[in-house]
Amino acid sequence: MRLISLVNAALVIVVLFFLVFERDSLFSFAGRAEAEASPEVASESGEVVDVDQATIGVVALRSTAREIDSAVLLRGQTKANRQVEVLAETTSTVISEPKRKGTFVEAGDLLCELDPGTRPASLAEAKAAKLEAQSRIPEAEARLEEAHARVAEAEINLTAANKLSDSGFGSETRRISSEAAMRTAEAGIKTAEAGLEATRAGIEAATAEVKAAEREIDRQTITAPFKGLLESDTAELGSLMQPGALCATVIQLDPIKLVGFVPETEVNRIIVGTEATAQLVTGLQVSGRVTFLSRSADETTRTFEVEITVPNPELAIRDGQTADIRISAAGAKAHFLPQSALTLSNNGQLGVRTIGQSNVVDFQPVVLLRDTAEGVWVGGLPETVDIIVIGQEFVTRGVTVEPTYREASK
């Protein structure tokens, strides 16, 4: 056993000696051309490579560009279409049984009912004051008519006094007295008119007090502002409500919104009204339309908010779920390749290695349009191109290869 081990070790040493120190002689013995006799070309890294070395076998894909929907891809979340905290507007005690969160409510459904207290009495008092003010209207109108009659009488007396005075049958004192009576009667009209306006103002003030009392009574019943779900319990029976105290939180989930943020390089590709789809983290696929695109960028991220409205009749979509959003945009020509076909140049540029004339390798940069589980869609390549999909990491630009072609994926 020791002799065999020693023999194996000796053979390994001999093989390593020839591979390391006598490599050229070994390759010549094996029938390969010497390096000095082969033409040289520059690789993509700038190094000189020998193209007459034994050709390398690679697997290539003959790809033809296809029209695809160059969608805008976003990461976003679901958001309730409407959400409001229903607050109390007055001070009183809750006298209604609470509704539990998750309860479905229609617009106008009672959420919290408050104790009316003395508010009905205040309303009755305001209505009585209004009736009293209205009853003063006939008296004020009668005073105005009386004032007008006195003016007419004073005008007749003044005319007669002027005629008698002019003919010498009346004294000057009587004429002056008639003029004073005339001015007094005219002042009486203004007083009566002011009294009538004051009475009408009193009616308006009483009417306003009635409306205020009625509004105060209306505040005793707090109702749902729209159709939706209770996100919180309504106020507990017997609790004291102050202005601004929370009665309940109501959210509307049908329809629901998908909210994402678009980078400024992509914002011009989105049009309001465009179709959009999304996949939630639960796997649910949904579709809707873009209903809002912000005109102002976020100061920190330099992105623009976009909203997509999605029907949610069964309320299967909840508020705050993460979603991968895909917004339709103008189509583009692209090649569908396996992800492993992508490589980097020595400058760090993303691209693929292609096969040109005489099976010589070339490097072409690409633009990544879409990434899927099955492969990637890339642009920036000719209409038809042969792409190395296996072995591209072992060859460089200018190397001659022996390709084996495989069928393109559908």
Side-chain angles (χ1 to χ4, degrees):
M1 294 296 291
R2 289 182 180 178
L3 180 60
I4 295 175
S5 299
L6 292 174
V7 172
N8 289 337
L11 290 174
V12 171
I13 293 172
V14 171
V15 171
L16 290 176
F17 173 81
F18 279 103
L19 286 176
V20 176
F21 299 102
E22 300 292 337
R23 182 178 180 184
D24 293 339
S25 300
L26 182 63
F27 284 170
S28 177
F29 177 78
R32 300 186 59 178
E34 293 183 356
E36 293 78 6
S38 61
E40 297 175 342
V41 296
S43 70
E44 60 188 288
S45 62
E47 298 176 352
V48 176
V49 296
D50 190 349
V51 296
D52 281 344
Q53 293 178 353
T55 55
I56 301 175
V58 295
V59 178
L61 174 69
R62 181 159 293 165
S63 176
T64 301
R66 288 179 276 173
E67 185 80 18
I68 65 165
D69 177 16
S70 182
V72 178
L73 305 180
L74 306 174
R75 187 82 165 177
Q77 65 178 10
T78 60
K79 184 178 181 181
N81 186 47
R82 300 164 77 180
Q83 178 170 343
V84 65
E85 293 181 343
V86 185
L87 307 177
E89 298 180 74
T90 188
T91 302
S92 191
T93 305
V94 178
I95 59 174
S96 60
E97 291 291 335
K99 289 182 171 61
R100 299 306 175 189
K101 55 186 175 182
T103 303
F104 185 82
V105 294
E106 295 282 350
D109 283 359
L110 178 66
L111 299 179
C112 299
E113 184 178 2
L114 307 182
D115 184 9
T118 60
R119 291 173 180 84
S122 299
L123 176 60
E125 182 180 356
K127 288 182 177 180
K130 180 181 177 181
L131 291 175
E132 182 182 358
Q134 289 174 338
S135 67
R136 294 173 183 170
I137 287 289
E139 181 182 356
E141 290 176 345
R143 288 177 181 174
L144 180 59
E145 291 178 359
E146 181 182 359
H148 279 290
R150 287 179 179 177
V151 168
E153 180 184 1
E155 186 177 3
I156 294 172
N157 292 334
L158 178 60
T159 302
N162 287 333
K163 287 182 179 181
L164 291 173
S165 178
D166 292 340
S167 61
F169 295 100
S171 65
E172 185 66 18
T173 303
R174 181 178 179 183
R175 186 180 66 80
I176 295 174
S177 177
S178 297
E179 290 178 354
M182 181 65 181
R183 288 194 292 269
T184 301
E186 290 175 347
I189 290 179
K190 293 182 179 180
T191 302
E193 288 177 346
L196 181 59
E197 290 299 323
T199 303
R200 288 173 178 170
I203 293 175
E204 292 180 358
T207 302
E209 290 180 1
V210 170
K211 290 182 178 179
E214 290 175 343
R215 182 70 184 93
E216 187 66 19
I217 288 180
D218 291 340
R219 290 176 178 149
Q220 307 311 302
T221 55
I222 304 175
T223 58
F226 51 80
K227 178 180 178 181
L229 292 172
L230 291 180
E231 188 66 9
S232 65
D233 294 342
T234 61
E236 188 60 58
L237 175 66
S239 58
L240 178 63
M241 303 291 285
Q242 300 284 350
L246 179 65
C247 168
T249 301
V250 184
I251 61 173
Q252 186 182 73
L253 298 179
D254 183 27
I256 197 168
K257 293 185 293 186
L258 302 178
V259 180
F261 292 88
V262 188
E264 52 188 338
T265 56
E266 301 282 345
V267 68
N268 288 337
R269 300 178 57 203
I270 299 178
I271 301 174
V272 175
T274 303
E275 293 184 359
T277 59
Q279 182 173 2
L280 307 182
V281 291
T282 58
L284 180 64
Q285 297 277 352
V286 297
S287 61
R289 290 188 178 274
V290 177
T291 54
F292 172 76
L293 179 61
S294 175
R295 292 285 180 177
S296 177
D298 183 271
E299 294 183 357
T300 303
T301 63
R302 310 307 303 168
T303 57
F304 294 82
E305 183 180 4
V306 61
E307 291 183 359
I308 298 125
T309 302
V310 176
N312 188 27
E314 297 180 0
L315 305 182
I317 308 173
R318 291 174 169 82
D319 181 27
Q321 289 184 288
T322 303
D324 292 321
I325 304 171
R326 181 175 176 272
I327 303 175
S328 299
K333 287 281 189 178
H335 294 264
F336 184 71
L337 306 175
Q339 294 178 347
S340 59
L342 299 178
T343 185
L344 294 175
S345 69
N346 290 334
N347 297 328
Q349 190 174 23
L350 181 67
V352 294
R353 288 191 169 90
T354 61
I355 300 176
Q357 294 181 352
S358 302
N359 292 338
V360 176
V361 176
D362 192 10
F363 177 85
Q364 295 195 34
V366 298
V367 177
L368 185 62
L369 299 179
R370 190 185 305 167
D371 189 1
T372 67
E374 296 77 18
V376 293
W377 290 93
V378 298
L381 296 175
E383 184 77 16
T384 302
V385 62
D386 295 339
I387 301 170
I388 302 175
V389 294
I390 298 179
Q392 71 273 16
E393 300 295 345
F394 303 103
V395 295
T396 57
R397 176 182 290 172
V399 174
T400 301
V401 294
E402 184 176 347
T404 301
Y405 290 92
R406 77 179 190 187
E407 186 179 358
S409 301
K410 301 297 183 184

